[in-house]
Amino acid sequence: MAKRDENLLDLLSQCPWWVSVAFSGVVYAVLRIILPAVQFDNWLLRGFAQAAPTIALPLSVVLLVPAGISFFDAARKRKLLNKQTDLDSIRLLSWKEFEELVGEAYRRKGYSVIENHGVGADGGIDLRLNKAGNLFLVQCKHWKTQKVDVRVVREMYGVMTAERASGAIIITSGLFTQDARIFADNKPVDLVEGYQLAELIRSAQTPPPRGQNLEEPTPSKMTCQKCGSSLVLRVARKGNTPGSRFWGCSKFPKCRFTQEYIV
């Protein structure tokens, strides 16, 4: 979301590269072709229309700068995701890289991702995910040793309710406390911890790192009986059998189908 100290170039650099290209083309067409063809009665507007063609090219070139920034930034995030090999490599990331990693993973899952570019290691809502008209709020907790407690989950649930989002997702490279799991139970709040995060990253990688495996491979015959997508092996974090493994739909959180894992 736009901040008070952000200008147009900052906003464009946060958009896909083609947005800047398209915007630059529109500005050029308006200044070079459309405005000079309009007959204005006001002398000030008439003067601006006559001078518009002279600034059309320089201004359009300036507006192309964010396209390059956005292109290389997107490439950097793709590389960041593809080079992860295991949970240990994820835990070595800075808090900002951690947020970018999670955002890129969901982006590859087909979500429209809006990142929070504010300064600080913990700004509340770090990502906004949109898909099929549903909004999901994401908070990233890059905590390697400290467990995420119930207070964090309770606050995120309040924000989700206030913004009328479809759900909330709290992701940590560590673990959640039992109280946090109990509070999230039967609520549209998904808690994704260490090894589940590793599964998410592996499933989004194209291709996975050679010789590395962040989770057990899913047999091709294992498909979701609800939506037809592939199933991935997950670890239960709450319920009657925490720590047990089960098959879950790769389209989670959109699809919540699960199937028993039989050794």
Side-chain angles (χ1 to χ4, degrees):
M1 299 182 71
K3 307 292 189 303
R4 289 184 178 181
D5 57 347
E6 285 182 328
N7 55 42
L8 178 60
L9 296 182
D10 291 329
L11 295 176
L12 287 175
S13 66
Q14 296 168 19
C15 298
W17 65 268
W18 54 265
V19 174
S20 295
V21 174
F23 186 65
S24 175
V26 170
V27 169
Y28 180 83
V30 170
L31 296 178
R32 185 70 178 82
I33 302 172
I34 299 177
L35 275 181
V38 178
Q39 298 297 322
F40 292 102
D41 294 329
N42 184 283
W43 65 270
L44 186 61
L45 294 177
R46 186 166 59 251
F48 177 75
Q50 293 173 353
T54 63
I55 64 172
L57 182 58
L59 182 57
S60 298
V61 171
V62 170
L63 292 175
L64 285 176
V65 172
I69 297 175
S70 176
F71 179 83
F72 286 108
D73 193 46
R76 179 182 60 80
K77 292 174 183 177
R78 290 194 297 269
K79 182 178 179 181
L80 176 67
L81 189 146
N82 286 334
K83 73 178 183 180
Q84 301 308 313
T85 56
D86 52 26
L87 184 57
D88 289 335
S89 71
I90 295 174
R91 286 174 173 168
L92 291 175
L93 300 176
S94 67
W95 67 266
K96 189 59 179 177
E97 289 175 325
F98 182 74
E99 292 177 7
E100 292 176 341
L101 176 71
V102 173
E104 179 64 18
Y106 278 107
R107 192 174 288 111
R108 293 193 190 184
K109 292 290 186 180
Y111 289 86
S112 172
V113 180
I114 300 177
E115 300 179 11
N116 178 8
H117 292 273
V119 177
D122 188 6
I125 299 175
D126 299 310
L127 304 169
R128 294 173 183 268
L129 311 180
N130 285 279
K131 191 173 185 181
N134 295 311
L135 170 64
F136 297 93
L137 306 180
V138 180
Q139 186 176 56
C140 301
K141 291 293 186 183
H142 195 23
W143 295 356
K144 304 170 187 178
T145 56
Q146 181 182 356
K147 290 185 177 182
V148 181
D149 60 29
V150 66
R151 176 185 57 82
V152 174
V153 181
R154 187 182 293 113
E155 290 176 356
M156 192 61 175
Y157 179 68
V159 173
M160 180 208 74
T161 302
E163 297 212 10
R164 298 182 180 180
S166 300
I169 307 172
I170 304 175
I171 300 179
T172 179
S173 52
L175 299 169
F176 292 92
T177 64
Q178 186 61 25
D179 286 342
R181 296 189 182 99
I182 293 174
F183 181 83
D185 195 23
N186 297 322
K187 294 182 179 67
V189 178
D190 295 308
L191 307 183
V192 180
E193 58 186 18
Y195 291 101
Q196 295 168 311
L197 170 63
E199 294 173 8
L200 171 67
I201 301 306
R202 188 221 58 86
S203 65
Q205 287 178 324
T206 53
R210 180 175 297 179
Q212 301 292 337
N213 187 23
L214 292 179
E215 65 167 312
E216 292 187 30
T218 304
S220 59
K221 66 179 181 180
M222 298 295 291
T223 58
C224 177
Q225 299 178 15
K226 185 175 180 180
C227 69
S229 302
S230 61
L231 298 181
V232 296
L233 193 60
R234 304 188 186 279
V235 179
R237 62 182 183 275
K238 54 191 176 183
N240 297 326
T241 56
S244 63
R245 296 198 285 183
F246 65 97
W247 294 108
C249 182
S250 59
K251 296 296 184 181
F252 178 87
K254 183 178 180 181
C255 178
R256 297 174 179 269
F257 175 80
T258 60
Q259 182 173 311
E260 181 182 3
Y261 174 75
I262 302 176
V263 180

